[in-house]
Amino acid sequence: MHYSDKPAEEIEDAEWQADMFAEIILSIMGYETKQLSFDFYG
């Protein structure tokens, strides 16, 4: 994707993939992922 002429779609984005993976694993472990939220302020 580094040399692509168009921006990555959401499903191709590594950060989105990592977030989705973490959400699935936490869900399998029994955590309520909808309640987890990390607000970052810069």
Side-chain angles (χ1 to χ4, degrees):
M1 295 307 300
H2 292 292
Y3 302 104
S4 179
D5 292 335
K6 62 180 182 149
E9 294 181 22
E10 181 179 57
I11 198 162
E12 299 170 326
D13 180 61
E15 190 69 26
W16 179 87
Q17 291 175 354
D19 290 346
M20 183 59 62
F21 175 80
E23 185 175 329
I24 291 168
I25 295 300
L26 288 170
S27 177
I28 290 170
M29 293 174 66
Y31 288 93
E32 293 279 339
T33 57
K34 300 298 179 208
Q35 70 186 11
L36 300 176
S37 175
F38 301 102
D39 296 323
F40 296 101
Y41 300 98

